[in-house]
Amino acid sequence: MTAPPDDCLASNEWICGVYLSTRRQILLDAVVQHLQLTFLSVLIGLAVALPLAVLARRWGWAAGPVLAVTTILYTIPSLAMFSLLLPLYGLSATLVVAGLVLYSLTLLVRNILAGLRAVPEETRQAARGLGYGPVRLLLTVELPLALPAAMAGLRIATVSAVSLVTVGAIVGFGGLGNLIYAGMNTYFKAQVLTASVLCVLIAVAADLFLLGVQRLITPWTRAARG
């Protein structure tokens, strides 16, 4: 029996509403996994990058080695990175998160450090004159003023992580990348296009969300532009 002409799944069309309705749960699970992997990797990357940037700012001699190491990590191809981490983490979601954390460091460290270096020295001196210690100076003066540059790095790292998560499909933990990879192997057009579009939407939504957060927590930048 031949398939009806309006059966877009049987005719393997790129745009297929039937695919969306029949694979809704599969798509939802893939999106959730994609978001989880992205969120964890960026969060851990930020937790590692912040102290590295602060130390590089405090000890000038450390800035060169820190930037050099994180830059070298970023240049390693994703397949090679996952292969190098495989003996440590095995075929697991942790492997993907660890790789994405390493990739995020160069973007986060470089931008946080640039933001800290951009804080005017007279501002630091004025805070010290008011009795601010190193910790209070960092938390209430330097980091707030470094936020615009830090948030720019966070936005780039997040969008990059959304993209790189798909490579995790090679170990079975790639979120929407699993669907893209499987769809390409079977030439399942609707699956490839749908998963790819969802990746783009997640990246755009994440960037817009972080941009909104940046505008919310740095109101002085809007005043300066005005």
Side-chain angles (χ1 to χ4, degrees):
M1 179 181 295
T2 59
D6 59 345
D7 189 343
C8 57
L9 281 179
S11 57
N12 195 25
E13 297 177 9
W14 286 104
I15 300 176
C16 182
V18 178
Y19 174 80
L20 293 175
S21 60
T22 57
R23 269 74 168 183
R24 186 176 304 166
Q25 190 58 49
I26 295 175
L27 288 170
L28 179 60
D29 292 342
V31 168
V32 170
Q33 184 183 80
H34 208 105
L35 292 174
Q36 288 175 338
L37 293 171
T38 300
F39 177 77
L40 283 176
S41 61
V42 173
L43 183 64
I44 296 173
L46 186 60
V48 175
L50 182 58
L52 285 177
V54 171
L55 290 177
R57 176 67 184 87
R58 287 284 181 267
W59 301 331
W61 60 266
V66 168
L67 292 176
V69 171
T70 55
T71 301
I72 290 173
L73 290 173
Y74 195 74
T75 62
I76 300 176
S78 54
L79 292 178
M81 177 70 81
F82 289 156
S83 298
L84 291 173
L85 296 174
L86 187 59
L88 293 175
Y89 301 107
L91 297 175
S92 65
T94 306
L95 169 67
V96 179
V97 171
L100 296 180
V101 167
L102 295 178
Y103 278 128
S104 70
L105 290 181
T106 185
L107 299 170
L108 293 172
V109 171
R110 189 175 297 275
N111 280 271
I112 295 173
L113 181 58
L116 292 172
R117 285 174 168 173
V119 177
E121 185 58 33
E122 55 269 23
T123 302
R124 292 191 178 91
Q125 294 296 338
R128 293 190 186 100
L130 293 174
Y132 282 41
V135 176
R136 187 182 178 189
L137 175 64
L138 174 67
L139 296 178
T140 62
V141 177
E142 293 180 312
L143 285 180
L145 291 178
L147 273 176
M151 287 299 298
L154 181 61
R155 289 170 57 195
I156 297 172
T158 301
V159 172
S160 177
V162 171
S163 173
L164 288 171
V165 164
T166 58
V167 184
I170 62 174
V171 296
F173 295 92
L176 291 164
N178 293 338
L179 301 182
I180 296 173
Y181 184 72
M184 291 181 68
N185 283 337
T186 59
Y187 200 56
F188 192 173
K189 296 179 181 178
Q191 181 162 295
V192 172
L193 181 61
T194 303
S196 300
V197 169
L198 286 174
C199 281
V200 173
L201 292 177
I202 290 174
V204 173
D207 187 56
L208 291 176
F209 173 76
L210 290 174
L211 178 60
V213 172
Q214 178 180 343
R215 290 175 61 85
L216 183 65
I217 63 179
T218 58
W220 62 86
T221 59
R222 299 198 302 274
R225 287 194 297 268

